[in-house]
Amino acid sequence: MDAKRAAAERAVEWLEDGMTVGLGTGSTVYHFIQAVGRKVADGLTIKAVATSVRSEQLARQLGIPMISFSDVEDIDVTIDGADEVDPEWNLIKGGGGALLREKIVADASKRLIVIIDESKLVRHLGQFPLPVEVVPFAFELTQRKLRQLGCELRMRMAADAQPYRTDNGNFTMDCEFGPIEQPGLLADALHRIPGVVEHGLFIGMAAQVIVGRSDGTVDVLDRPRP
Ligand code: 5RP
């Protein structure tokens, strides 16, 4: 079985009747939403909120009951993918362009479970370019400030050769910092740039990581001790 799918299908074990569930975004989460759809068809009673228009549409097609954020008090568990996971379980997310909603949903969740294939486990974050969501207004100035933090960046483009727009109407800068030795400090520095809406560093947010391997086996890893 595909490694991403193996991790995704294991994650449904964390769902229980009555839960409000956050649905992440990406190709791994695609398999998770499919598996949730099957569980719902078999009688599981959950409500879900989605981190992207894409995930929401897929969930609705599969008959998963969706609720609006204005009706959400607590999210019991969110299942989402990641682009990189370091040994302290800091994450880079946003390869799929949904990092802002993903971070809002993860922050509102009692538990964030990350589903990945083994290639996403890294010693240091930074081989994957860090996505940063910026407002279109004066984005050139924001790009300059980002470069001053020591990265090379490119603006993410859509298939029509126009800047890629997030579900929130913003731009995404993919920033190559090289190995990120102190992700927490970089996260703080990024937040100090006014045009930055959010960045893809998820520091200390994951509670569990489910790793699918190419032979179809799955490891469920608990949070490392600080
Ligand atoms: C989307 C994300 C995804 O979770 C991340 O890019 C991993 O994607 P995939 O499961 O397709 O490898 O952060 O914004």
Side-chain angles (χ1 to χ4, degrees):
M1 185 191 282
D2 171 70
K4 290 183 176 187
R5 186 170 157 198
E9 294 194 347
R10 176 66 69 86
V12 293
E13 291 178 12
W14 273 261
L15 305 190
E16 292 172 14
D17 283 336
M19 279 185 165
T20 300
V21 178
L23 305 174
T25 297
S27 56
T28 316
V29 168
Y30 169 85
H31 294 297
F32 174 70
I33 297 175
Q34 294 280 350
V36 175
R38 290 194 292 274
K39 281 272 191 188
V40 166
D42 286 347
L44 178 72
T45 56
I46 57 154
K47 291 176 281 187
V49 289
T51 55
S52 62
V53 173
R54 236 177 318 155
S55 291
E56 168 132 24
Q57 284 172 345
L58 177 62
R60 284 191 190 282
Q61 279 164 19
L62 294 168
I64 300 170
M66 302 301 292
I67 52 170
S68 142
F69 280 99
S70 47
D71 297 324
V72 170
E73 280 184 21
D74 271 333
I75 300 170
D76 293 293
V77 62
T78 288
I79 313 286
D80 204 348
D83 300 299
E84 287 185 339
V85 180
D86 80 3
E88 276 80 48
W89 285 16
N90 301 311
L91 318 174
I92 285 185
K93 287 186 48 55
L99 69 92
L100 173 58
R101 294 188 186 194
E102 289 173 337
K103 200 174 276 187
I104 291 171
V105 170
D107 181 66
S109 301
K110 292 182 194 156
R111 173 179 292 255
L112 171 65
I113 301 179
V114 175
I115 50 177
I116 53 170
D117 67 61
E118 57 194 320
S119 71
K120 309 281 184 72
L121 292 171
V122 298
R123 232 177 126 73
H124 290 292
L125 300 179
Q127 203 161 328
F128 190 92
L130 177 67
V132 178
E133 184 160 338
V134 309
V135 289
F137 175 79
F139 74 88
E140 298 89 343
L141 298 184
T142 307
Q143 283 182 317
R144 210 173 303 151
K145 294 266 184 188
L146 286 168
R147 288 197 179 97
Q148 285 167 2
L149 293 180
C151 68
E152 292 197 3
L153 65 79
R154 61 190 158 72
M155 185 189 285
R156 195 176 296 185
M157 303 303 281
D160 62 1
Q162 294 299 308
Y164 169 80
R165 294 272 185 163
T166 67
D167 285 347
N168 319 299
N170 294 317
F171 293 160
T172 299
M173 304 300 159
D174 290 305
C175 302
E176 294 200 24
F177 282 96
I180 300 172
E181 304 282 348
Q182 294 183 292
L185 289 183
L186 179 58
D188 291 344
L190 289 164
H191 274 146
R192 285 196 290 272
I193 301 176
V196 168
V197 181
E198 197 44 87
H199 56 76
L201 288 169
F202 283 48
I203 310 292
M205 296 183 89
Q208 254 151 344
V209 177
I210 302 180
V211 186
R213 304 196 184 271
S214 46
D215 62 4
T217 59
V218 172
D219 288 327
V220 179
L221 309 176
D222 282 314
R223 192 174 182 75
R225 288 180 194 282

mmCIF file of all heavy atoms in Angstrom, residues 20 47-49 60 66-75:
data_model
loop_
_atom_site.group_PDB
_atom_site.id
_atom_site.type_symbol
_atom_site.label_atom_id
_atom_site.label_comp_id
_atom_site.label_asym_id
_atom_site.label_seq_id
_atom_site.Cartn_x
_atom_site.Cartn_y
_atom_site.Cartn_z
ATOM 1 N N THR A 20 -15.929 16.610 16.949
ATOM 2 C CA THR A 20 -15.736 17.585 15.877
ATOM 3 C C THR A 20 -14.303 17.394 15.382
ATOM 4 O O THR A 20 -13.353 17.411 16.178
ATOM 5 C CB THR A 20 -15.934 19.023 16.391
ATOM 6 O OG1 THR A 20 -17.262 19.132 16.902
ATOM 7 C CG2 THR A 20 -15.726 20.041 15.281
ATOM 8 N N LYS A 47 -18.820 15.537 13.187
ATOM 9 C CA LYS A 47 -18.976 16.753 12.387
ATOM 10 C C LYS A 47 -17.564 17.194 12.037
ATOM 11 O O LYS A 47 -16.633 16.948 12.815
ATOM 12 C CB LYS A 47 -19.657 17.842 13.210
ATOM 13 C CG LYS A 47 -21.114 17.536 13.518
ATOM 14 C CD LYS A 47 -21.725 18.577 14.418
ATOM 15 C CE LYS A 47 -21.319 18.355 15.857
ATOM 16 N NZ LYS A 47 -21.939 19.185 16.861
ATOM 17 N N ALA A 48 -17.431 17.862 10.896
ATOM 18 C CA ALA A 48 -16.073 18.228 10.486
ATOM 19 C C ALA A 48 -15.996 19.683 10.046
ATOM 20 O O ALA A 48 -16.997 20.277 9.625
ATOM 21 C CB ALA A 48 -15.614 17.307 9.354
ATOM 22 N N VAL A 49 -14.792 20.239 10.191
ATOM 23 C CA VAL A 49 -14.464 21.544 9.618
ATOM 24 C C VAL A 49 -13.228 21.333 8.743
ATOM 25 O O VAL A 49 -12.400 20.476 9.041
ATOM 26 C CB VAL A 49 -14.182 22.616 10.697
ATOM 27 C CG1 VAL A 49 -15.445 23.007 11.416
ATOM 28 C CG2 VAL A 49 -13.134 22.150 11.690
ATOM 29 N N ARG A 60 -17.692 17.001 1.509
ATOM 30 C CA ARG A 60 -19.138 17.095 1.226
ATOM 31 C C ARG A 60 -19.559 16.031 0.218
ATOM 32 O O ARG A 60 -20.595 15.394 0.371
ATOM 33 C CB ARG A 60 -19.485 18.489 0.690
ATOM 34 C CG ARG A 60 -19.519 19.544 1.780
ATOM 35 C CD ARG A 60 -20.133 20.850 1.267
ATOM 36 N NE ARG A 60 -19.940 21.922 2.230
ATOM 37 C CZ ARG A 60 -20.654 22.091 3.339
ATOM 38 N NH1 ARG A 60 -21.640 21.251 3.613
ATOM 39 N NH2 ARG A 60 -20.412 23.082 4.174
ATOM 40 N N MET A 66 -20.536 18.657 7.481
ATOM 41 C CA MET A 66 -19.615 19.790 7.684
ATOM 42 C C MET A 66 -20.336 20.876 8.472
ATOM 43 O O MET A 66 -21.528 21.107 8.265
ATOM 44 C CB MET A 66 -19.179 20.356 6.322
ATOM 45 C CG MET A 66 -18.506 19.353 5.415
ATOM 46 S SD MET A 66 -17.018 18.629 6.121
ATOM 47 C CE MET A 66 -15.921 20.040 6.155
ATOM 48 N N ILE A 67 -19.606 21.547 9.342
ATOM 49 C CA ILE A 67 -20.210 22.657 10.079
ATOM 50 C C ILE A 67 -19.384 23.914 9.863
ATOM 51 O O ILE A 67 -18.201 23.846 9.511
ATOM 52 C CB ILE A 67 -20.347 22.367 11.591
ATOM 53 C CG1 ILE A 67 -19.020 21.920 12.196
ATOM 54 C CG2 ILE A 67 -21.437 21.350 11.855
ATOM 55 C CD1 ILE A 67 -19.054 21.864 13.705
ATOM 56 N N SER A 68 -20.037 25.042 10.112
ATOM 57 C CA SER A 68 -19.362 26.323 9.924
ATOM 58 C C SER A 68 -18.513 26.642 11.158
ATOM 59 O O SER A 68 -18.827 26.205 12.268
ATOM 60 C CB SER A 68 -20.449 27.388 9.708
ATOM 61 O OG SER A 68 -20.079 28.566 10.329
ATOM 62 N N PHE A 69 -17.452 27.423 10.962
ATOM 63 C CA PHE A 69 -16.586 27.772 12.093
ATOM 64 C C PHE A 69 -17.350 28.561 13.151
ATOM 65 O O PHE A 69 -17.016 28.512 14.326
ATOM 66 C CB PHE A 69 -15.353 28.540 11.621
ATOM 67 C CG PHE A 69 -14.317 27.617 11.062
ATOM 68 C CD1 PHE A 69 -14.200 27.440 9.696
ATOM 69 C CD2 PHE A 69 -13.503 26.884 11.893
ATOM 70 C CE1 PHE A 69 -13.269 26.555 9.176
ATOM 71 C CE2 PHE A 69 -12.573 25.995 11.399
ATOM 72 C CZ PHE A 69 -12.452 25.835 10.027
ATOM 73 N N SER A 70 -18.397 29.277 12.726
ATOM 74 C CA SER A 70 -19.139 30.041 13.732
ATOM 75 C C SER A 70 -19.913 29.113 14.673
ATOM 76 O O SER A 70 -20.324 29.528 15.751
ATOM 77 C CB SER A 70 -20.068 31.048 13.064
ATOM 78 O OG SER A 70 -20.769 30.429 12.030
ATOM 79 N N ASP A 71 -20.065 27.843 14.288
ATOM 80 C CA ASP A 71 -20.759 26.890 15.165
ATOM 81 C C ASP A 71 -19.781 25.992 15.931
ATOM 82 O O ASP A 71 -20.180 25.066 16.619
ATOM 83 C CB ASP A 71 -21.707 26.007 14.332
ATOM 84 C CG ASP A 71 -22.791 26.839 13.672
ATOM 85 O OD1 ASP A 71 -23.238 27.812 14.293
ATOM 86 O OD2 ASP A 71 -23.160 26.526 12.518
ATOM 87 N N VAL A 72 -18.485 26.278 15.774
ATOM 88 C CA VAL A 72 -17.476 25.412 16.407
ATOM 89 C C VAL A 72 -17.031 26.023 17.725
ATOM 90 O O VAL A 72 -16.650 27.190 17.775
ATOM 91 C CB VAL A 72 -16.241 25.269 15.484
ATOM 92 C CG1 VAL A 72 -15.092 24.588 16.218
ATOM 93 C CG2 VAL A 72 -16.592 24.502 14.229
ATOM 94 N N GLU A 73 -17.093 25.220 18.783
ATOM 95 C CA GLU A 73 -16.510 25.687 20.049
ATOM 96 C C GLU A 73 -15.128 25.084 20.211
ATOM 97 O O GLU A 73 -14.146 25.773 20.404
ATOM 98 C CB GLU A 73 -17.421 25.309 21.213
ATOM 99 C CG GLU A 73 -18.570 26.292 21.311
ATOM 100 C CD GLU A 73 -19.462 26.046 22.495
ATOM 101 O OE1 GLU A 73 -19.038 25.407 23.467
ATOM 102 O OE2 GLU A 73 -20.613 26.507 22.410
ATOM 103 N N ASP A 74 -15.066 23.797 20.125
ATOM 104 C CA ASP A 74 -13.802 23.068 20.269
ATOM 105 C C ASP A 74 -13.678 22.099 19.118
ATOM 106 O O ASP A 74 -14.676 21.513 18.701
ATOM 107 C CB ASP A 74 -13.852 22.203 21.525
ATOM 108 C CG ASP A 74 -13.362 22.954 22.732
ATOM 109 O OD1 ASP A 74 -12.548 23.864 22.551
ATOM 110 O OD2 ASP A 74 -13.803 22.604 23.831
ATOM 111 N N ILE A 75 -12.467 21.917 18.658
ATOM 112 C CA ILE A 75 -12.226 20.849 17.683
ATOM 113 C C ILE A 75 -11.522 19.736 18.460
ATOM 114 O O ILE A 75 -10.483 19.974 19.094
ATOM 115 C CB ILE A 75 -11.365 21.368 16.513
ATOM 116 C CG1 ILE A 75 -12.092 22.524 15.797
ATOM 117 C CG2 ILE A 75 -11.051 20.237 15.536
ATOM 118 C CD1 ILE A 75 -11.262 23.264 14.780
#
